[in-house]
């Protein structure tokens, strides 16, 4: 089955710096890759996603890139702010047909120091 | 607020007991997914329902079962509870069965003593 590896497990940056989180997946049939942000004690929140027919997607300070050949995708956060501090999860899914369960990475704890 | 609701927020029970967790999806969403989040295992997919039918199963224990009702709310039943079942249980919903754009509820924190 699908396996998603996520690195690093912790990341500390200064406010204003950029942060990059990387994930690799094993199943070449996966075609949907969302990123979730989870603050302590809260629900995972979908912040951005990308499908396999797209190489890059941006939404304000957040961008995601996908390399299908290498089977990895990355989250880029620019101009980080203290409120970006949270645990970020990547996931992969074979989002077609009648099944769409997400396989998650182990998470990256991002700390943004003011 | 994602529009997905879950009850109860917290549940404390004893080993061997049975509990039921409830989830109401966003208006218009037909798919419901259940996930378990524990410190050592991360977010693990349990089961998916779409418009009342089971569509996918993950590493769900035989002691656990779920169903989706005609009004599309879903219930996750956990029986013969063990200490290791203590975790956060999330449900998520999406419009289609394909799994894109899943929105999570606030979760139910289960503590088994």
């Amino acid at each position: 089955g699908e396996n998603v590896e996520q690195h690093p497990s912790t990341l500390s940056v200064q406010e204003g710096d950029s942060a990059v989180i990387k994930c690799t997946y094993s199943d070449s049939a996966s075609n949907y890759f969302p990123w979730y942000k989870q603050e302590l004690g809260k629900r995972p929140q979908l912040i951005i996603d990308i499908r396999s027919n797209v190489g890059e997607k941006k939404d304000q300070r957040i961008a995601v890139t996908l390399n299908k050949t290498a089977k990895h995708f990355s989250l880029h956060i620019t101009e980080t702010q203290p409120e970006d501090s949270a645990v970020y999860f990547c996931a992969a899914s074979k989002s077609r047909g009648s099944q769409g369960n997400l396989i998650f990475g182990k998470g990256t704890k991002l700390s943004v120091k003011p | 607020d994602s529009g997905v609701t879950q009850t109860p927020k917290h549940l404390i029970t004893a080993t061997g007991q049975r509990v039921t967790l409830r989830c109401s999806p966003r208006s218009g969403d037909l798919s419901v997914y259940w996930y378990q989040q524990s410190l050592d295992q991360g977010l693990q997919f349990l089961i998916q329902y779409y418009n009342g039918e089971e569509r996918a199963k993950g590493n769900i224990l035989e002691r656990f079962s779920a169903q989706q009702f005609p009004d599309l709310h879903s219930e996750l039943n956990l029986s013969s509870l063990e200490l290791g079942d203590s975790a956060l249980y999330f449900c998520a919903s999406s419009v289609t069965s394909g799994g894109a754009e899943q929105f999570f509820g606030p979760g139910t924190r289960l503590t088994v003593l």
Side-chain angles (χ1 to χ4, degrees), chain B residues 1 33 62 79 84 87 100 106-107:
Chain B
D1 186 358
Y33 311 79
E62 285 191 12
S79 61

Side-chain angles (χ1 to χ4, degrees), chain A residues 85-102:
Chain A
S85 296
V87 179
Y88 290 81
F89 292 94
C90 63
S93 168
K94 285 182 276 193
S95 179
R96 62 168 63 94
S98 60
Q99 297 182 359
N101 50 287
L102 297 173

Side-chain angles (χ1 to χ4, degrees), chain A residues 32 36 38 41-46 49 51 89 93-106, chain B residues 1-4 33 35 37 40-43 45 48 55-56 90 97-106:
Chain A
Y32 176 68
Y36 285 84
Q38 187 177 28
K42 301 282 184 67
R43 75 188 80 200
Q45 283 184 285
L46 178 64
D49 57 12
R51 297 178 189 269
F89 292 94
S93 168
K94 285 182 276 193
S95 179
R96 62 168 63 94
S98 60
Q99 297 182 359
N101 50 287
L102 297 173
I103 304 300
F104 284 89
K106 293 288 190 187
Chain B
D1 186 358
S2 66
V4 181
Y33 311 79
Y35 294 89
Q37 185 174 38
D40 56 341
Q41 293 294 321
L43 272 161
F45 167 72
Q48 175 198 0
R55 285 300 177 94
F90 288 103
S97 60
E101 298 186 358
Q102 293 184 30
F103 292 90
F104 281 70

